[in-house]
Amino acid sequence: MNMRISLNTRLSLGVVAVVLAATLAVATLALHLVKFGMQSSIASEQFARVTAIADAVDQKFVSRRTLLKTLADSMRSQAFADPEALQAFLGEHASLREAFANVAFFDTDGRLVASLNASPQMGQVSIADRTYFKETVASKAGRISQPYSNRLNGQAQVAITQPVLDRAGQLQFVISGAINLGERNFLGELADIKFGAAGYLFIITTDGIVIDHPRKSLILTQFNADGGEDSETDQALAGFEGTAEGSNRAGLRGLYSFKRIQQTPWIVGAMYPRSEAFAPIEAVTRVAWAGALALSLLAGALGLAFVRQQLRPLAELHLHMRVTQDDHASASRVPPTYAHGEIGDLSRTFDRLMQQQRASEARLRTITDNIPALVSHVDASLNYTFVNAQIRALHGSERLIGRSVAEVRGAEEFAVVEPRYRRALAGETVVFEKNGDPARGLGDRTHKAHFIPDRDAVGTVQGVFAMTFDITDEVNAQKALGVQERRLRDITDSIPALVGYFDREENCLYGNSRARQMAGVGDGTLEGVTLRSSVGDAVYAQHEPYIPSVLAGKPVRFPVHAPLRGKDGYFQVNLIPDKGVEGRVLGFYLMTFNITALKEAELRVIDSETRLRTITDNMPALITYIDRDQKITFANGTYREWLGVEPSTVVGKHIQEIAGPDLYLDRKATIERALAGERVEFEAETKHGDFDRVTHVIYVPDIGADGKTHGIFSLSLDITALKQVERQLIELARVDTLTGLPNRLAFNEYLPNAIARARRTGSALALMFLDVDRFKSINDTLGHASGDEVLAEFARRLHGSVRSSDMVARLAGDEFVIVLEDMNSQDAAALIAGKIVEGIREPAFQVDGQLLEVTSSIGVAFSRPGEGPLTAAELLAQADAALYNAKAAGRDRFAMARSAAHAA
């Protein structure tokens, strides 16, 4: 059984489907952009944390190496005759346990001679075969070892070495500070850092050896020893730094961040499970989808109700037409009122047509009796049911109704027409020509007969209409014009348009197949068909204003709106005047093209563009479309907010005209890469007024179905706040938290630049290396808190003793440096050093409610212009040696280092 779905239901379901699809499409696009931004922010934040942790580990190595160097420097002036004295000396430095698991002295052969953790195996333990010991002896410089297992207790350790040299520069001992990788004394609070509930921090060497891991059993093992796959960590071992998404060997998906340590070939890594990292994003997604679904259902319900309310007059008209069709008497009962709009016009036209039908039935007999043709109707048994006056006159009888065709026309003539009647009864319209009957005096005439099936409401053939015309004159004329007419009909029937010709009285003289179908004549004659009758009153009213112009000799073109198969139809009409030899307009040609599909497409494009404009104008991003000619064809409303430019003013202009020549040349190569089909991302800065904005720009190629790039989608996301956070983290990494002074990292960056400036300007430079005299005793007697107060006050006095343009930095512990630029002479540097010594000595320090006498020793290195280039390391070494001389001379004083020329 075929189910018939009403137009009302089809349109309602269509509107609901369109509303749901549009709402879900908007929600999908917005959620994609939001998720991308949040995921990028989370990944950047995780990498920043890992970078800060790596810097902290670097600082821990720096501070411990400084402790061992200070210990080694303090032994230069002392001669230890036996291991007992060396052991006693080491016992005085018990505070080293806070930084190391053990500190031991080894002789030049690698034998253990003293240990902070006293061992009964003194002299028996040897590290001569250790790589880090060999490198320290060979280079006379400290080293950080690869992780190893302690031969006495089996603990996983890493060693920091420092050579002890005598005054002649000969190696006396090697100090080894051991750090247990499984204890907190090295990582400290960093070991408690978590990334979510299941995330973790780990450290491996660039050779894949595990240094630190939540699973302590993995320490000192090869990372991929179990054969599992961890592609993200493998990339980090190959040199990758940053954040990427991947899976660990257990199949857990997460964000991996990696940062290398500068002091030793270690890699700090962090794993943040994806389910935890993006949990807020997934929650937002679920809420957004629920809201979008609710909004879609509400919009669909409203659309359904609106469409049904609008189509109610159409349903009433449909019912009225069915009643009228079933009961002809009801046609005279015209509804007193009609609905407004097209449906009301259609109802009014239908009732008028019914009235015309009743009038035409009354005139049918008169018309058929007066037309120059033989008109008849036979039923399915080929008995006459109607004949006009011409047939009655031809056969000389009034009593033809009810008689058979064979009886009236004779056996010979019936044999000719019977097959054609049978074809018509089978549903075929039969048109044929025949010569006249000589017996009736028509032998020289030619007739044309039309046998047309008479179908009832369900399409069943009930009989045949027959019309026979005398076409002798037409045949003679058609013989002359036959070729031309056939060509004209073939051409016009092939044109996808309605083609007709009308005289000055608007009578239709010609129509192609489409025009005939619209007029309802098929292959029949167009006689009596006018422009109004062929198109209807409503459509004719749209033609009427232009007819005077075409009759005046001017071609016109105009649009027409008319119903088309139950919906709105759009047509383009062309009226072309037909002028005679004398220039008089004889009539006009009409050509009507169906442009409904084009119009609907235009409306859909306008509606789609309106929705797209609404979405993009409310997104916190600068969105642009650039075609292959590098012209802007779309710009969203963010241009107005970010740049103070109306989007409409940039559309159609070349990128160079909007961005300027310099910025365009800077981005030209990037634009060409995107036009070649590559997705390109980069950061850029824009300035509007006093506000500098940092943006993350994405060029997405618009690749069509043909595989060619038709343009570029440009999205610029505001990352100004993120960049500010990055700069703050970078600044914090260069500041000593206790004193507020620049730290070793900042100093290491500053000193080479200062030396380069001095060399470039031809000015002198002084470097002071300072420490607090007997600071260890302060720490041991008063505690570390008091020691921190002394360091803070010491830093404050140093900063107040120099110019604002000079740099004061804390290297580690109680070691400080001062860089003095643009010095006039070495005496000026000495004057400042003496001032600092006095400023530290007096007044006494106020520490924990009591006065404390604090002094300082200073080593001063002076670099004169023209003495030859000095590196930062060489200048620092000179200042360090001068500091050693100041301490050897009794402390609480400064000593000047010998210049490079003096030393030579």
Side-chain angles (χ1 to χ4, degrees):
M1 179 177 67
N2 295 327
M3 294 184 63
R4 181 180 179 183
I5 302 176
S6 67
L7 176 63
N8 192 334
T9 301
R10 294 197 304 272
L11 288 179
S12 299
L13 293 176
V15 169
V16 172
V18 170
V19 171
L20 289 174
T23 305
L24 293 177
V26 170
T28 300
L29 177 60
L31 283 175
H32 173 74
L33 294 175
V34 171
K35 288 177 68 176
F36 176 79
M38 294 180 68
Q39 289 174 357
S40 298
S41 177
I42 291 171
S44 298
E45 179 184 356
Q46 180 174 332
F47 181 67
R49 292 179 63 190
V50 171
T51 300
I53 293 170
D55 291 342
V57 173
D58 264 327
Q59 289 301 318
K60 288 178 179 294
F61 273 121
V62 169
S63 62
R64 282 160 173 76
R65 295 186 74 173
T66 302
L67 284 175
L68 293 183
K69 186 176 183 302
T70 302
L71 183 64
D73 289 344
S74 65
M75 296 175 61
R76 287 185 180 178
S77 59
Q78 303 181 46
F80 295 96
D82 52 51
E84 289 76 8
L86 191 59
Q87 182 68 40
F89 171 78
L90 190 56
E92 295 175 0
H93 296 78
S95 59
L96 292 174
R97 297 183 186 279
E98 298 180 8
F100 299 98
N102 186 29
V103 176
F105 285 86
F106 295 88
D107 59 20
T108 57
D109 295 327
R111 291 188 297 273
L112 178 66
V113 295
S115 174
L116 190 63
N117 298 334
S119 172
Q121 298 178 333
M122 290 292 184
Q124 301 178 13
V125 175
S126 175
I127 61 170
D129 59 335
R130 297 285 193 184
T131 301
Y132 63 86
F133 176 78
K134 295 178 181 179
E135 292 177 350
T136 302
V137 172
S139 63
K140 296 183 180 180
R143 289 288 186 269
I144 299 176
S145 75
Q146 289 290 324
Y148 62 88
S149 177
N150 189 288
R151 293 174 174 172
L152 297 178
N153 51 32
Q155 291 183 338
Q157 293 182 338
V158 64
I160 302 177
T161 65
Q162 179 64 38
V164 179
L165 306 178
D166 58 17
R167 294 181 180 275
Q170 297 299 317
L171 181 66
Q172 290 182 302
F173 302 102
V174 173
I175 304 175
S176 174
I179 299 173
N180 286 341
L181 298 181
E183 297 180 0
R184 292 176 53 91
N185 65 332
F186 179 60
L187 290 180
E189 65 278 3
L190 299 181
D192 297 329
I193 293 178
K194 293 289 187 180
F195 291 85
Y200 54 87
L201 182 74
F202 60 94
I203 302 176
I204 60 176
T205 68
T206 54
D207 295 330
I209 302 301
V210 179
I211 302 297
D212 186 72
H213 197 279
R215 293 171 54 192
K216 299 303 179 183
S217 60
L218 296 178
I219 294 177
L220 290 189
T221 64
Q222 188 69 28
F223 185 80
N224 54 2
D226 56 359
E229 294 185 0
D230 193 330
S231 58
E232 304 304 324
T233 305
D234 291 339
Q235 291 182 15
L237 294 176
F240 169 73
E241 285 190 337
T243 300
E245 187 173 340
S247 301
N248 62 10
R249 287 192 285 264
L252 181 62
R253 194 75 175 170
L255 289 179
Y256 281 84
S257 293
F258 299 96
K259 180 66 179 178
R260 295 204 171 206
I261 296 174
Q262 297 179 0
Q263 291 291 318
T264 187
W266 290 6
I267 301 173
V268 177
M271 191 277 185
Y272 195 174
R274 189 184 192 282
S275 59
E276 296 183 40
F278 296 155
I281 300 177
E282 299 301 329
V284 170
T285 301
R286 289 192 294 270
V287 173
W289 274 117
L293 180 59
L295 179 60
S296 300
L297 294 177
L298 177 60
L302 293 176
L304 179 62
F306 175 76
V307 171
R308 287 190 175 275
Q309 191 275 334
Q310 292 295 315
L311 293 179
R312 183 179 300 170
L314 183 61
E316 295 175 352
L317 173 60
H318 179 246
L319 178 61
H320 172 64
M321 294 176 68
R322 291 186 62 184
V323 171
T324 303
Q325 182 181 11
D326 295 338
D327 182 7
H328 294 287
S330 65
S332 62
R333 298 194 294 271
V334 179
T337 58
Y338 296 97
H340 294 290
E342 295 84 350
I343 297 177
D345 293 340
L346 183 60
S347 179
R348 185 182 297 106
T349 301
F350 171 75
D351 287 335
R352 288 178 181 174
L353 289 176
M354 293 302 298
Q355 293 175 5
Q356 292 174 5
Q357 180 182 355
R358 292 195 302 273
S360 64
E361 288 177 352
R363 293 193 297 267
L364 178 61
R365 173 63 62 180
T366 302
I367 294 173
T368 56
D369 286 346
N370 289 278
I371 62 175
L374 304 176
V375 180
S376 65
H377 180 272
V378 298
D379 59 18
S381 301
L382 299 183
N383 296 320
Y384 282 109
T385 61
F386 174 84
V387 292
N388 71 342
Q390 280 76 8
I391 294 181
R392 292 195 299 270
L394 180 64
H395 291 283
S397 174
E398 293 288 341
R399 299 181 61 185
L400 297 178
I401 304 302
R403 297 173 61 186
S404 68
V405 176
E407 180 184 355
V408 173
R409 304 184 68 170
E412 184 178 351
E413 187 175 355
F414 177 71
V416 176
V417 299
E418 181 186 15
R420 295 181 170 89
Y421 273 115
R422 299 299 178 189
R423 287 165 57 191
L425 288 173
E428 178 184 356
T429 298
V430 181
V431 180
F432 62 97
E433 294 182 5
K434 65 177 182 176
N435 295 326
D437 186 359
R440 294 187 174 92
L442 303 175
D444 59 345
R445 309 302 292 177
T446 301
H447 298 86
K448 187 174 185 178
H450 297 258
F451 288 179
I452 304 171
D454 175 22
R455 301 177 185 274
D456 59 14
V458 297
T460 304
V461 178
Q462 303 292 335
V464 178
F465 292 104
M467 292 185 289
T468 304
F469 300 90
D470 187 338
I471 59 169
T472 304
D473 295 335
E474 295 178 12
V475 169
N476 294 334
Q478 288 176 352
K479 288 180 181 180
L481 301 175
V483 175
Q484 292 83 348
E485 185 174 336
R486 283 194 299 272
R487 290 177 179 174
L488 175 63
R489 181 170 294 278
D490 291 340
I491 292 173
T492 57
D493 285 348
S494 301
I495 296 175
L498 300 176
V499 181
Y501 179 86
F502 297 83
D503 61 16
R504 292 187 62 87
E505 287 71 39
E506 302 177 22
N507 295 312
C508 183
L509 304 182
Y510 171 78
N512 69 345
S513 60
R514 288 180 171 82
R516 289 173 174 272
Q517 292 174 6
M518 186 194 73
V521 298
D523 293 333
T525 179
L526 291 170
E527 185 177 355
V529 176
T530 64
L531 179 60
R532 180 188 293 270
S533 66
S534 62
V535 300
D537 292 340
V539 177
Y540 178 78
Q542 301 179 59
H543 288 68
E544 192 172 16
Y546 301 95
I547 293 177
S549 297
V550 72
L551 292 179
K554 298 179 180 178
V556 293
R557 183 173 63 182
F558 55 93
V560 169
H561 181 207
L564 178 64
R565 294 187 289 274
K567 65 177 184 179
D568 290 340
Y570 299 89
F571 305 86
Q572 178 178 293
V573 180
N574 296 267
L575 300 181
I576 306 167
D578 176 28
K579 297 180 180 180
V581 178
E582 298 177 355
R584 182 176 179 273
V585 177
L586 305 177
F588 57 91
Y589 295 95
L590 179 145
M591 298 181 66
T592 302
F593 295 89
N594 186 347
I595 60 171
T596 303
L598 177 61
K599 189 69 175 179
E600 290 176 344
E602 291 177 353
L603 294 175
R604 287 195 298 269
V605 170
I606 292 173
D607 184 50
S608 177
E609 289 180 350
T610 301
R611 290 195 300 269
L612 178 62
R613 170 66 65 180
T614 301
I615 294 170
T616 57
D617 283 353
N618 289 277
M619 291 178 59
L622 205 66
I623 301 177
T624 312
Y625 185 87
I626 305 168
D627 63 17
R628 288 202 61 83
D629 295 328
Q630 299 187 18
K631 292 184 178 180
I632 297 174
T633 61
F634 175 83
N636 72 336
T638 310
Y639 270 81
R640 188 182 305 109
E641 176 186 352
W642 286 12
L643 305 177
V645 176
E646 284 297 325
S648 59
T649 62
V650 304
V651 173
K653 295 183 179 179
H654 195 275
I655 304 174
Q656 183 174 2
E657 185 178 353
I658 302 302
D662 295 336
L663 181 58
Y664 174 73
L665 289 176
D666 185 53
R667 296 193 183 179
K668 183 178 180 182
T670 305
I671 294 172
E672 291 175 350
R673 287 168 55 197
L675 287 174
E678 178 184 356
R679 177 189 174 100
V680 184
E681 298 187 32
F682 59 91
E683 293 182 1
E685 294 185 2
T686 59
K687 184 178 182 65
H688 177 58
D690 296 330
F691 182 72
D692 291 329
R693 189 187 308 275
V694 182
T695 59
H696 181 78
V697 182
I698 305 173
Y699 285 165
V700 181
D702 177 20
I703 301 176
D706 55 358
K708 297 180 179 179
T709 302
H710 300 288
I712 306 170
F713 293 100
S714 173
L715 289 87
S716 299
L717 306 175
D718 189 350
I719 59 171
T720 305
L722 179 61
K723 285 298 179 182
Q724 290 176 349
V725 172
E726 288 180 359
R727 285 194 290 270
Q728 291 173 359
L729 290 175
I730 292 173
E731 292 174 0
L732 289 175
R734 288 162 172 76
V735 176
D736 178 62
T737 56
L738 175 62
T739 63
L741 296 177
N743 61 12
R744 178 182 290 272
L745 177 61
F747 169 75
N748 289 339
E749 294 174 348
Y750 182 88
L751 183 56
N753 294 331
I755 294 174
R757 284 193 298 271
R759 186 180 302 117
R760 187 167 56 252
T761 60
S763 59
L765 175 73
L767 174 64
M768 296 184 180
F769 202 145
L770 313 85
D771 68 359
V772 179
D773 291 335
R774 299 179 178 85
F775 179 72
K776 181 180 180 302
S777 299
I778 297 175
N779 265 343
D780 292 343
T781 57
L782 300 181
H784 289 284
S786 297
D788 289 344
E789 288 185 33
V790 170
L791 292 177
E793 175 62 17
F794 188 83
R796 188 189 65 77
R797 295 190 184 189
L798 290 182
H799 197 273
S801 301
V802 297
R803 300 168 298 182
S804 60
S805 60
D806 298 328
M807 182 191 193
V808 181
R810 180 191 178 196
L811 296 186
D814 63 330
E815 293 181 348
F816 293 82
V817 290
I818 300 175
V819 181
L820 305 174
E821 296 186 61
D822 298 323
M823 298 301 296
N824 297 327
S825 63
Q826 184 170 335
D827 293 338
L831 182 63
I832 296 174
K835 176 183 175 182
I836 293 174
V837 171
E838 294 176 1
I840 297 299
R841 183 191 309 118
E842 294 179 356
F845 282 41
Q846 185 78 20
V847 178
D848 197 18
Q850 59 181 328
L851 295 178
L852 180 65
E853 292 183 359
V854 177
T855 60
S856 174
S857 298
I858 305 176
V860 183
F862 190 82
S863 175
R864 296 177 179 82
E867 286 187 346
L870 281 178
T871 65
E874 291 171 346
L875 195 62
L876 186 61
Q878 288 186 11
D880 187 16
L883 173 62
Y884 181 85
N885 293 335
K887 286 186 173 295
R891 296 185 175 87
D892 189 19
R893 65 192 66 229
F894 69 91
M896 300 297 296
R898 291 187 300 170
S899 65
H902 187 199

